[in-house]
Amino acid sequence: MQNNIIRKTFGVISITFFLLFFTFFIFSIVSGHMIRKDIELNGINSIGKYSSHRSWGKGENNYFSFIVEGVRYKGIVEEAPEDSIKNIGKFYRIRYSKRFKGNLNAFFDQEVKDTIEIVNAGFSDFDILSQDTIEGKERSLKKEFFIILGIH
C-alpha cells in the first residue's frame, strides 16, 4: 500500500518536473523569437562601443555599450566575425530593441569613425579617446590559487 503511494507521488513529481522543463524550453524559444522580431521590425539604429569579448567552449559573448536618452546600456551579441577581439574599443552601427533592454544586433562590417556621429549617439569625448574596455580573460583555478597565495 505504502509502495503504491510512493510510486504515485514519484510519478506526479516526475511529470510535474517534465512539464515545467518543457514549459521553460518553449518559453525560451518563443521569447528569443519575439526579441529577434522586435529588433528586426521595431529596432532603433544607433552606435555602440564594442567593449569586450568572452569565449568558452563552443560559445562566445561580445559585449557592447550604447546610450539611449542619456542612459548607458550594455548588451550582448553572441556571434561575431573571427579575430573580432582586435576590434575591442571601436564603434559600430547597432540596432537595439527599446522594448527588451540590452538586446541588440551589431553590424561588424559597419565601423563608425566619425567622432561627430559618435558624440551625437550620446558618447562623450572620454568614451572616444579611452580604452575603458573590460578584458574578458579567464584564469585557471591553479593560477587563481597562486594569486591568492602570492606565488608568481
Side-chain angles (χ1 to χ4, degrees):
M1 173 103 174
Q2 195 170 3
N3 276 346
N4 287 340
I5 294 173
I6 292 172
R7 284 185 194 151
K8 286 181 182 179
T9 305
F10 182 73
V12 169
I13 291 172
S14 298
I15 290 172
T16 304
F17 278 123
F18 176 75
L19 289 175
L20 285 173
F21 176 77
F22 183 73
T23 304
F24 175 75
F25 181 73
I26 295 298
F27 175 76
S28 298
I29 291 172
V30 170
S31 65
H33 180 72
M34 285 176 45
I35 291 169
R36 282 192 301 278
K37 276 296 185 190
D38 184 60
I39 291 172
E40 181 182 318
L41 299 174
N42 304 318
I44 299 171
N45 294 323
S46 187
I47 296 172
K49 184 175 184 178
Y50 184 21
S51 56
S52 69
H53 171 90
R54 183 174 184 197
S55 61
W56 68 94
K58 294 182 180 180
E60 67 178 359
N61 284 338
N62 299 284
Y63 298 92
F64 274 80
S65 62
F66 59 100
I67 298 171
V68 179
E69 298 173 359
V71 178
R72 185 179 300 263
Y73 291 94
K74 292 182 181 180
I76 298 174
V77 176
E78 292 180 358
E79 295 181 20
E82 287 189 33
D83 295 335
S84 61
I85 296 173
K86 63 183 178 184
N87 296 326
I88 291 175
K90 294 183 179 181
F91 294 87
Y92 293 94
R93 299 215 179 274
I94 63 167
R95 187 169 178 92
Y96 67 89
S97 171
K98 193 164 186 169
R99 185 173 175 199
F100 302 101
K101 304 289 187 206
N103 291 288
L104 60 103
N105 287 341
F107 305 103
F108 286 97
D109 59 338
Q110 299 178 18
E111 183 180 352
V112 179
K113 295 182 179 181
D114 183 9
T115 55
I116 294 172
E117 201 173 353
I118 295 169
V119 169
N120 287 341
F123 291 97
S124 67
D125 293 336
F126 179 76
D127 292 324
I128 296 170
L129 299 174
S130 71
Q131 291 296 328
D132 60 340
T133 59
I134 302 167
E135 281 295 323
K137 292 185 177 177
E138 292 287 324
R139 290 189 201 105
S140 69
L141 185 60
K142 180 180 174 182
K143 288 182 183 177
E144 290 290 336
F145 280 129
F146 284 165
I147 290 171
I148 292 170
L149 297 174
I151 302 170
H152 296 285

